[in-house]
Amino acid sequence: MTTVGEFMTTRLVTMDGNETLTAAAREMRDSAIGDVVVTNGTDVAGIVTDRDITVRGVAEELDPNSTRLNQVTSRDVITVSQYDDAVAAADLMRTYAVRRLPVIDDGRLVGLISMGDLAVEREPQSVLADISADDPNN
């Protein structure tokens, strides 16, 4: 069995849900990432992606300087353990139509696994794996 821990990234960016969309967008830009894990204290409250900022924030004409991450966060977060089967994690992504899963152990956020992470390992010749393994272009 191949585990989630073999593919997850531990290079995470977390932000409090009271931070602004602008702060999150800058963090994503500076860290060359497309998402931040939104926290409430030490608990995972959700995930905000660059697409969430665009579709749920900017397209709805919310002021990114005053709109809080809590207002656009995807909240129904499905999580996995680093010891879970990677194929089962991919099945969860498919079932819930999500591209990322926070990895939680003993109630603590320890990583994030994405569809791209799994594609690089499971289907290295796929277009998704090729894009995911490449350096960011921004």
Side-chain angles (χ1 to χ4, degrees), residues 8-15 36-39 41-47 77-80 82 101-113:
M8 72 181 190
T9 182
T10 56
R11 191 185 126 213
L12 299 170
V13 174
T14 62
M15 296 184 79
V36 296
V37 178
V38 179
T39 57
T42 60
D43 296 329
V44 173
I47 295 177
V77 180
I78 308 302
T79 63
V80 292
Q82 65 181 331
L101 298 173
V103 181
I104 308 289
D105 276 321
D106 294 326
R108 188 173 61 90
L109 180 66
V110 295
L112 190 75
I113 188 161

Side-chain angles (χ1 to χ4, degrees), residues 58-132:
V58 176
E60 294 296 324
E61 299 182 13
L62 299 176
D63 179 1
N65 293 310
S66 62
T67 302
R68 305 294 171 203
L69 292 178
N70 285 334
Q71 293 175 255
V72 299
T73 297
S74 298
R75 295 186 187 283
D76 296 327
V77 180
I78 308 302
T79 63
V80 292
S81 163
Q82 65 181 331
Y83 306 108
D84 286 344
D85 180 46
V87 173
D91 288 342
L92 281 173
M93 289 180 195
R94 185 177 303 112
T95 299
Y96 291 97
V98 296
R99 297 178 184 187
R100 300 164 182 86
L101 298 173
V103 181
I104 308 289
D105 276 321
D106 294 326
R108 188 173 61 90
L109 180 66
V110 295
L112 190 75
I113 188 161
S114 71
M115 188 181 303
D117 295 332
L118 293 171
V120 168
E121 181 62 30
R122 307 273 312 158
E123 299 176 35
Q125 302 306 316
S126 71
V127 173
L128 179 57
D130 190 41
I131 292 169
S132 298

